[in-house]
Amino acid sequence: MTSSELWTRATAERYDTEEAESSSLAALGPTLDFLAELAGDGQALEFAIGTGRVGVPLRERGVPVSGIELSEHMAAVLRRKIDEDTLPVVIGDMATSVVPGEFSLVYLVYNTISNLLTQDEQVECFRNAARHLEPGGRFAIELGVPPLRFLPPGQVAVPFDVSEQHLGFDTFDLVEQILVSHHFTRDGDDGRYRRGNSRHRYAWPAELDLMARIAGLELERRIADWDGTPFTQDSAKHISVWRKPT
């Protein structure tokens, strides 16, 4: 068991509804194009596959996909969409769980490596990716850049969404590199808000490159989004791809 916080049944049941906009085929198109190209004729393994937001449509494109998922509740929602033979999922943590076979692509999207709350476990995640990759295979991560430039001296909170239905802000422990996302989500039409939060360990791109090196992987490319926009100092996130040497 790793430090990742376990997703509950209630959270899993509402996940697809809350992520409907980012889960549409129109929104996912560039992601699926990118991952399918990386996978080529090989198999893909998704760490923290969740409800299959990315894995299921990627499988429907003809890419053989397997998954690892810590939360049985999230995996149960996925299983309503696709059967085990078509998309097998191992219940376990992404830092140590092993899936049979060799893969041309291992991928980890939507900031999910930050669910591992220690540097050691994030390093083990890279090692686990390398363990599953065939020579020449690739490990791809989607991760936000820590928005610390928005923090003036003495401030520890940064809002990221202020709307009628949702208020979201992050607070930071700059010593431990821990970010806590706070959410106030409007439930129904009676004006009540549901409160939730989640902890994450943020990491800079250069730190991830060192983790990759420890795992025997080499940086191949880094871009700002799935469309291939160049990564700059002003980019809010990055897509990074590391390659296992042949």
Side-chain angles (χ1 to χ4, degrees), residues 132-149:
H132 285 90
L133 287 173
E134 62 187 24
R138 294 170 173 89
F139 182 35
I141 282 182
E142 175 187 25
L143 185 62
V145 176
L148 301 189
R149 295 168 68 186

Side-chain angles (χ1 to χ4, degrees), residues 23-197:
S23 302
S24 69
L25 289 179
L28 282 177
T31 305
L32 300 175
D33 291 342
F34 190 96
L35 295 175
E37 181 181 354
L38 285 183
D41 296 328
Q43 300 184 81
L45 172 61
E46 180 171 356
F47 284 178
I49 195 169
T51 65
R53 185 183 70 93
V54 174
V56 170
L58 186 62
R59 181 65 184 91
E60 291 171 347
R61 285 199 173 198
V63 178
V65 177
S66 298
I68 295 174
E69 173 55 42
L70 183 62
S71 169
E72 294 186 29
H73 302 302
M74 295 288 277
V77 175
L78 178 150
R79 196 51 67 217
R80 298 172 197 162
K81 307 172 185 177
I82 195 165
D83 63 79
E84 175 72 18
D85 290 338
T86 306
L87 200 164
V89 174
V90 169
I91 301 299
D93 69 84
M94 58 187 165
T96 63
S97 297
V98 176
V99 175
E102 264 193 340
F103 299 85
S104 60
L105 171 66
V106 177
Y107 66 94
L108 181 53
V109 298
Y110 223 36
N111 302 320
T112 313
I113 193 171
S114 69
N115 290 3
L116 297 169
L117 299 179
T118 70
Q119 186 184 69
D120 285 344
E121 289 175 353
Q122 290 178 351
V123 169
E124 288 306 311
C125 182
F126 272 84
R127 284 179 165 152
N128 201 28
R131 182 180 301 124
H132 285 90
L133 287 173
E134 62 187 24
R138 294 170 173 89
F139 182 35
I141 282 182
E142 175 187 25
L143 185 62
V145 176
L148 301 189
R149 295 168 68 186
F150 292 103
L151 286 177
Q155 181 174 315
V156 296
V158 174
F160 59 83
D161 185 31
V162 179
S163 65
E164 186 70 20
Q165 296 299 121
H166 178 252
L167 170 64
F169 62 94
D170 294 331
T171 55
F172 296 85
D173 180 334
L174 302 181
V175 175
E176 297 296 330
Q177 288 184 215
I178 295 295
L179 172 160
V180 181
S181 281
H182 304 265
H183 301 268
F184 293 85
T185 306
R186 190 169 186 173
D187 273 339
D189 298 321
D190 59 3
R192 290 184 301 173
Y193 283 78
R194 169 172 38 85
R195 180 178 182 176
N197 61 71

